[in-house]
Amino acid sequence: MRTFRFMRAMKVLGSGAVLLQAGGCDFSAFNEVLQTVLLGITAAGGIAILQNI
């Protein structure tokens, strides 16, 4: 079951990378997208921690 979820996540990430390349996204724009995603994950983690306190 764990392998299925991991493979599904890898397929989604791979598909997203192909779409970014097809859309003409260069490295700097990809870096901004990646930073935005990581910021969202960090914010969600902070909210989860604050709700558990």
Side-chain angles (χ1 to χ4, degrees):
M1 189 64 152
R2 181 178 289 168
T3 305
F4 174 72
R5 279 191 257 171
F6 177 74
M7 290 302 293
R8 184 174 50 181
M10 289 297 109
K11 288 178 185 178
V12 168
L13 289 174
S15 299
V18 169
L19 288 174
L20 284 173
Q21 285 293 75
C25 181
D26 59 350
F27 182 72
S28 63
F30 174 73
N31 195 18
E32 289 181 23
V33 170
L34 182 64
Q35 287 178 351
T36 303
V37 169
L38 292 176
L39 182 62
I41 292 171
T42 304
I47 290 171
I49 289 171
L50 289 174
Q51 286 180 347
N52 286 332
I53 290 181

